[in-house]
Structures are given as structure tokens and as C-alpha cells.
């Protein structure tokens, strides 16, 4: 589904390479995890895939079901089925959460040539999905992420994902800032979306999220490259011994 | 202080062609206004409160021409609101185009009929005169002295529906001067709507007396004409436990100066003044607000937002004066601009002057571009760039629009803003 080949990326403003040849293939129905120390390029990879400005791709490619992601605007990538759950969800004062969700859902439907969702249907679906994530009606009415706790923001990301039903979900450190209960809620939300047609790329520092969202494949990223790939046991190894051993071994 | 000769000459030239009525109580009020005006002279570029706005086009003897404007298929402002409509065309009352002004709880009379109304005698020119200190407002005195017409609106109860003043612009060289008085009796309530450009040049004053427990809602949309010029003034005095809420939408207009002068004279009064201004290109918009707290436990809010691009200029001069004894005052003032490119300019002068020791006053002023992070967040959820920008502009304006209470009116204003955003590239 997602195919990244030899991806090189630098910051636009300075001549500083961050990704130095990332190769990664995520198949439909699978959960891949990327772990790695701070500064290894994990978040950059997620931003570049989602189309954030400020990065320059100097080499390589990234495709979603064969479509060149890098040639698309961020909204086109979203309509193509890509979703990024932000590490730091953005607060937007003045825009109601509900308005935001409905605008997004209908914009994607429109872009795909589908019929827009009626206000009534939308309300029904959003209420049901919000309930599962323990997001109350009050939170839906408030401006996007404004005054939300860390946990509420992350749950709100998962709600957006559930509403938009993307096929390729990237979760950027969704576990950061979550207590045990919130992590469980978020993980359940993610697991409920797992199916044969959908893939996940879970970026995390810690193995603990992977206790809840069981990965099929684990990658270790360091210095802008995937340096090791393995099964779930790789995450446990990191948890036990840290990154040092793995990094030493790959040098 | 003697008025400089240049100002004396400018005033003489400005009023040379205007008719002046000395008869009756109204004539007496006009004579006094002319005397005030002569002692001040017309505004000049060096005046403290005209440093950011060049008054030349507002004071020159003849107005610059303003091409007529066709709003295309956009429905008239407040079209969906059940209201009494009173129409002025280039400042001249158009009875044929107006509704019958009979409305339960409201008495409406035209100024030009010079009716002998006690309440109007006690109000006409009175709040304007009070509002001349400490800041001079010569164009308001000009409106008192030379208004050719206006409405005297007395509200004795809860008005059955809003009163809507529609100002059409039908002549490229019209130079209209109007003066309205509104008196709300104790416990009365009125929503006053104003819409339209008025004239090629439009000089107005409105005096509003809000008696104890009365409620006054004011929503104004200044029309989409690009070339018109306007100097408007609202003077209001609020009694105890009364409410005053005013919102103005200004989209386009080469020159607009909106002055609002409020006096909270009774305890527990509430005064909110808000504005949203949208400027693209040759656009100069100035909000000059002065709120005086002269009673206890009053609340005032000033919320002014400006969206500027392609060289548009926004000005905000807002003052909160808390007099001695005005304890437990709650004053709030925010003026913000969203600069959609690097050519535009926002000039803000927030002022606080406080002589009471138990008050809460806050003020803030910001200028900034659209938040790129928020923009990316919206786009990453599939919202197209233009829609995402529009959503963020509306979000920026939300606090000002939030000052309108009536949901139908809010919807009308929001629709107009969306139309504006759809028409203008950014």
C-alpha cells in the first residue's frame, strides 16, 4: 500500500539532510511500527508523507497504491486515503470541532466524487464513534483541541481517523502524554479500525504502545534510515537493552 | 486655543454650500453645534486622533466621486429578517420605498419634520456635545449642525421587530449628512439595523439614550461599494442595568471612520462594541472608540478584527476611561488584524486611563498572518486550501461576530463574509 524508496529529505531553509535513504513498504492489513531514538527522523518522515511545507525531497519516492504522494497537495493526499495523527494536535480557536469534522469528511467525499453526508447522518455517526472514545458532546462543541487535555487531544485525533476512514494511517507518537487509561482507549480506537484493507504505521519511542497495538513488523530508524527490521520481538529487545546495541550492530 | 486660519478657511469652504436651519428648538441646537464646530475647526492631519487617518476626503468642500456599485446576485443585507425598513437614497428619505413606520412599542418621526418632541429636544446634540471632550469630534458636530434629515426613534416597550435603516447610494457625487436620535425608555428594547453605503460621502451621527434596564442592539453592514467614503459617529449614554451591543461589518470602502463614544452612567450597565472589517486593496478603515465608565460594576467590551490584504490599512484607536468611583469595572479591549500579505498595515492605539482602584481592565492588540500550522492541520484532514483559509479567517472573526445575539443576523453576516472570501483571491 505505502511504498517508500530511497527517500532523501532535507530542511528547506538549511542544507541539513534529515532522511538519508528511507526504504519502507507497508502492506494492506498490516501494522508496522517505527521506533528510534530522538532525532532519528521519525516525525520528519510522517510530515513529509502528509505534505507539510518546509521540507525538500532531494531523492527517492513515496507512493500510496502506486500514486505518487509527493506530487499531491496535503488535502489530495488525505482524499487519497492518507491520515496522519499528529504528535501535537493543533488548537484552532474559533472553529468548532463538529464543524471541522464535518467539513473534513465532506471535503474528502467531494474530492472522491462521493455524495456529501447529511447533517443528520453525520451527527449520528459522529456521536456513536465519539462515545466509544469517551468523547462527550461538550468536547465536540468546543473549538478544535482548544482547552483539551493531552489525552483528549489524542482521542480527538483517533475520532478524526475513525470518521475519515483512511486506508493508510500514520500515528506519530500517539502515546506521548497519555496515561495508562488513555493509552488503552486510544489503542482500542485504533484496533477497532484494523482490517484487511487498511494499514498502519505507528511511530513511537516506547514499546508500551505496542503492547496494546500489536505490530506485524517493527523497524528501527536511526540517523535518517531504517537500520533494522524484524518482528514484534524487536520492540521487546529495544525495551530491554535500549537502542545502543542495535545501533552498534548496524554500524 | 485659537483655531488655525487654515482650519477656519477649510470649515468655511466645507459648509459654504450647505443649508442651515435656525428655526425652532432644532435650530437652536444646530446653532450651538455650529458654534462648537467653529471653535474646533475641521479635523486635520496633525490632530492627535487623525494621525493614522487622513481626513482630507472627509472634509474637502466637494466629495470625490464614487462610482455606483452593483452587488450582483447577492441578496440585500438582512433580507431574511422580519423588520420595518426605512430607506434613504443618498441621504434623502424615500417614503415610497419605505415601510409604514407604525410599530408597536416604537415611535418614529423624521427629523426634517422638526416635530416638537420633548425627548428629542433633550437629546439632539446633547450626547454629541458631551462626547467632544476630551477628544474633539468635529465631523459629529458638523452632522448635528447640518444634517438634512434623520430619524427620531423613541422606544417605549419591547419593539415588535427590528427597525432597519437602508442607505442607498444612487448618485456618484452625493454628499449626505444625517443625524438620528434614539431614546429607549426604561425597560424598552430595540434592535436597530443599518445597511448600505449611504452616499458617495456619508457623514452621520446617532445619539442613543439607553434608560435604566433598557436594551439596545445595533448591527450595521456598511455596504460593498468600493469608492464610498464615510464618517460615522455613535454616541450613547447607558443607564443602570442597561445593555448596549453594537456590531459593524465593513467590507470594502476606500475610507471609513467609525467613531463610537459610550458613557456608562448607571450601575451594572453592559456595553459591547464590535467590528469586523474586510479590506482588499484601496481600503482604509478606522475604528475610534471611547468608553467611559462612570458608575459601579459596569462591563465594557471592545472587539475589533480586521482582515487586510493588498495594501489595505486598518486603524484602531480604542480607549477605556474609568472614572473615580467606578469601582468593580470590568473592561476588555481586543484589536487584531489578520494580514494576508506583507503589503498591508494595521495601526493600533489602545489606551487605558483608570482612576478607580478596584477594577479589572485588560487590553490586547495583535497583527499576524494565517497560522500555517493550523492551515496544514486542516489540509491534512482533506480540507482544500481555499476552504481551509476561509475557515481560519472566519475563526479569526468569530469573537467579533459572537457579539451579535440574534442567530438569524449572525447567519446573514457569516454568509456575507463567506461570499467576500469567495470573491477575493488571497
Amino acid at each position: 500500500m505505502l511504498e517508500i524508496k530511497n527517500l532523501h529529505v532535507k530542511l528547506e531553509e538549511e542544507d541539513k539532510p534529515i532522511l538519508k535513504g528511507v526504504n519502507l513498504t507497508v502492506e494492506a492489513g498490516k501494522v508496522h511500527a517505527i521506533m528510534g531514538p530522538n532525532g532519528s527522523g521519525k516525525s520528519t518522515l510522517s510530515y513529509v508523507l502528509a505534505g507539510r511545507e518546509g521540507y525538500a525531497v532531494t531523492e527517492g519516492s513515496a507512493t500510496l497504491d502506486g500514486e505518487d504522494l509527493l506530487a499531491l497537495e496535503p488535502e489530495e493526499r488525505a482524499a487519497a486515503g492518507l491520515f496522519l495523527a499528529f504528535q501535537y494536535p493543533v488548537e484552532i480557536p474559533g472553529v468548532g470541532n463538529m464543524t471541522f469534522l464535518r467539513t473534513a469528511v465532506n471535503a474528502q467525499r467531494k474530492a472522491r466524487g462521493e455524495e456529501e453526508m447529511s447533517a443528520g447522518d453525520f451527527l449520528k455517526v459522529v456521536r456513536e464513534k465519539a462515545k466509544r472514545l469517551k468523547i462527550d458532546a461538550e468536547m465536540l462543541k468546543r473549538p478544535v483541541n482548544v482547552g483539551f487535555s493531552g489525552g483528549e487531544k489524542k482521542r480527538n485525533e483517533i475520532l478524526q481517523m475513525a470518521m475519515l476512514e483512511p486506508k493508510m494511517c500514520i500515528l506519530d507518537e500517539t502515546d506521548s502524554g497519555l496515561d495508562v487509561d488513555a493509552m488503552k482507549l486510544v489503542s482500542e480506537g485504533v484496533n477497532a479500525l484494523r482490517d484487511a484493507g487498511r494499514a498502519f504505521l505507528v511511530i513511537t519511542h516506547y514499546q508500551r504502545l505496542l503492547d496494546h497495538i500489536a505490530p506485524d513488523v517493527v523497524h528501527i530508524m536511526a540517523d535518517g534510515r531504517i537500520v533494522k527490521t524484524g518482528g514484534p520481538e524487536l520492540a521487546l529487545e529495544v525495551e530491554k537493552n535500549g537502542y545502543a546495541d542495535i545501533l552498534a550492530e548496524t554500524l | 486655543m485659537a483655531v488655525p486660519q487654515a482650519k477656519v478657511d477649510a470649515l468655511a469652504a466645507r459648509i459654504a454650500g450647505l443649508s442651515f436651519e435656525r428655526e425652532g428648538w432644532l435650530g437652536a441646537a444646530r446653532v450651538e453645534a455650529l458654534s462648537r464646530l467653529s471653535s474646533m475647526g475641521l479635523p486635520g492631519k496633525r490632530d492627535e486622533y487623525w494621525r493614522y487617518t487622513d481626513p482630507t476626503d472627509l472634509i474637502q468642500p466637494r466629495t470625490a466621486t464614487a462610482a455606483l456599485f452593483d452587488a450582483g446576485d447577492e441578496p440585500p443585507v438582512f433580507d431574511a429578517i422580519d423588520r420595518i425598513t426605512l430607506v434613504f437614497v443618498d441621504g434623502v428619505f424615500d417614503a415610497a420605498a419605505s415601510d409604514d413606520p407604525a410599530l408597536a412599542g416604537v415611535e418614529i418621526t423624521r427629523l426634517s419634520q422638526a416635530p416638537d418632541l420633548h425627548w428629542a429636544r433633550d437629546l439632539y446634540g446633547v450626547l454629541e456635545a458631551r462626547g467632544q471632550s476630551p477628544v474633539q469630534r468635529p465631523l459629529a458636530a458638523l452632522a448635528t449642525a447640518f444634517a438634512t434629515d434623520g430619524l427620531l426613534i423613541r422606544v417605549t416597550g419591547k419593539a415588535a421587530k427590528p427597525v432597519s435603516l437602508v442607505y442607498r447610494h444612487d448618485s456618484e457625487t452625493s454628499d449626505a449628512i444625517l443625524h438620528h436620535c434614539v431614546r429607549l425608555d426604561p425597560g424598552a428594547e430595540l434592535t436597530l439595523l443599518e445597511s448600505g453605503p449611504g452616499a458617495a460621502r456619508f457623514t452621520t451621527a446617532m445619539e442613543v439614550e439607553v434608560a435604566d434596564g433598557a436594551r439596545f442592539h445595533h448591527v450595521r453592514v456598511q455596504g460593498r461599494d468600493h469608492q464610498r467614503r464615510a464618517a460615522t459617529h455613535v454616541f450613547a449614554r447607558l443607564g443602570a442595568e442597561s445593555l448596549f451591543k453594537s456590531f459593524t461589518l465593513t467590507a470594502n470602502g476606500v475610507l471609513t471612520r467609525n467613531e463610537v463614544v459610550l458613557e456608562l452612567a448607571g450601575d451594572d450597565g453592559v456595553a459591547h462594541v464590535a467590528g469586523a472589517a474586510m479590506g482588499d486593496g484601496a481600503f482604509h478603515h478606522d475604528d475610534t472608540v471611547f468608553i467611559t465608565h462612570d458608575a459601579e460594576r459596569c462591563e465594557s467590551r471592545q472587539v475589533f478584527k480586521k482582515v487586510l490584504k493588498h495594501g489595505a490599512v486598518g486603524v484602531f484607536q480604542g480607549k477605556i476611561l474609568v472614572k473615580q468611583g467606578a469601582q468593580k469595572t470590568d473592561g476588555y479591549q481586543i484589536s487584531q488584524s489578520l494580514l494576508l500579505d506583507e503589503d498591508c498595515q494595521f495601526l493600533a492605539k489602545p489606551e487605558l486611563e483608570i482612576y478607580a482602584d478596584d477594577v479589572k481592565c485588560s487590553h490586547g492588540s495583535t497583527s499576524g498572518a494565517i497560522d500555517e500550522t493550523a492551515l496544514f492541520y486542516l489540509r491534512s484532514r482533506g480540507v482544500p486550501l481555499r476552504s481551509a483559509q476561509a475557515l481560519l479567517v472566519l475563526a479569526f472573526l468569530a469573537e467579533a461576530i459572537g457579539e451579535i445575539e440574534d442567530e438569524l443576523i449572525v447567519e446573514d453576516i457569516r454568509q456575507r463574509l463567506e461570499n467576500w472570501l469567495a470573491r477575493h483571491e488571497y
Side-chain angles (χ1 to χ4, degrees), chain B residues 157 294 323 328 365:
Chain B
D294 197 12
K323 288 196 171 175
K328 307 281 182 196
S365 183

Side-chain angles (χ1 to χ4, degrees), chain B residues 206-266:
Chain B
M206 176 161 68
E207 294 172 293
V208 187
E209 178 88 57
V210 189
D212 295 354
R215 300 166 73 82
F216 180 69
H217 302 273
H218 177 229
V219 182
R220 172 166 61 172
V221 177
Q222 293 187 294
R224 283 172 48 201
D225 292 40
H226 296 289
Q227 296 179 7
R228 60 112 186 108
R229 291 160 175 87
T232 78
H233 308 79
V234 175
F235 297 90
R237 182 164 56 186
L238 280 74
E241 294 177 15
S242 67
L243 176 124
F244 175 101
K245 274 194 165 187
S246 175
F247 171 89
T248 301
L249 168 64
T250 311
N252 308 340
V254 282
L255 178 59
T256 310
R257 163 89 160 202
N258 290 334
E259 297 197 25
V260 178
V261 184
L262 302 180
E263 188 183 349
L264 287 147

Side-chain angles (χ1 to χ4, degrees), chain A residues 50-52 73-75 78 83-84 86 90 92-95 100 104 107-108 145 157 160 164, chain B residues 371-374 376-387 391-392 394-396 398 414:
Chain A
R52 187 174 185 145
E73 294 295 331
E75 56 267 34
F83 181 91
L84 168 64
F86 281 52
V90 181
I92 314 182
V95 178
F100 167 59
Q108 292 204 12
N145 293 324
E157 293 292 288
Q160 291 165 33
L164 295 168
Chain B
D371 180 350
E372 288 297 331
T373 314
F376 172 62
Y377 190 59
L378 288 168
R379 295 178 75 193
S380 79
R381 297 304 180 248
V383 182
L385 176 63
R386 289 276 301 174
S387 310
L391 209 55
L392 291 175
L394 289 171
F396 167 77
R414 280 189 70 91

Side-chain angles (χ1 to χ4, degrees), chain B residues 252-254 279-284 308-313 341 344 420 424:
Chain B
N252 308 340
V254 282
D280 182 1
F283 172 88
H284 184 107
L308 307 170
K309 55 185 260 195
H310 293 150
V313 179
D341 57 33
C344 31
W420 192 94
H424 294 257

Side-chain angles (χ1 to χ4, degrees), chain B residues 8-180:
Chain B
V8 173
D9 296 342
L11 177 59
R14 171 69 179 99
I15 67 179
L18 304 178
S19 66
F20 188 71
E21 182 59 63
R22 293 170 183 277
E23 296 302 310
W25 66 269
L26 192 55
R30 290 181 188 277
V31 169
E32 281 179 30
L34 181 55
S35 149
R36 280 196 291 285
L37 178 56
S38 304
S39 71
M40 295 184 276
L42 289 170
K45 274 189 271 189
R46 288 192 206 141
D47 296 357
E48 175 68 17
Y49 281 83
W50 289 91
R51 278 171 57 190
Y52 304 135
T53 297
D54 182 349
T56 304
D57 284 347
L58 297 172
I59 65 171
Q60 64 185 351
R62 296 178 72 89
T63 179
T65 58
L68 300 183
F69 180 80
D70 179 4
D73 54 6
E74 190 176 64
V77 183
F78 305 134
D79 212 23
I81 314 290
D82 183 22
R83 63 203 163 121
I84 289 278
T85 301
L86 300 163
V87 181
F88 290 86
V89 180
D90 294 306
V92 178
F93 187 72
D94 184 341
S98 300
D99 291 330
D100 175 1
L103 182 65
V106 186
E107 295 161 10
I108 302 173
T109 321
R110 281 174 56 199
L111 181 69
S112 57
Q113 291 163 343
D116 194 16
L117 298 171
H118 282 288
W119 70 266
R121 287 175 84 139
D122 294 341
L123 186 53
Y124 191 91
V126 173
L127 297 186
E128 175 260 296
R130 284 177 72 87
Q132 295 293 353
S133 167
V135 180
Q136 297 186 339
R137 306 170 199 282
L139 293 173
L142 178 87
T144 304
F146 295 98
T148 52
D149 208 347
L151 295 172
L152 304 173
I153 303 174
R154 182 175 184 185
V155 192
T156 54
K158 190 176 185 330
K161 44 176 100 166
V163 171
S164 173
L165 311 185
V166 176
Y167 305 119
R168 290 196 190 131
H169 171 206
D170 208 23
S171 147
E172 291 189 353
T173 54
S174 56
D175 189 11
I177 305 177
L178 295 180
H179 189 124
H180 307 299

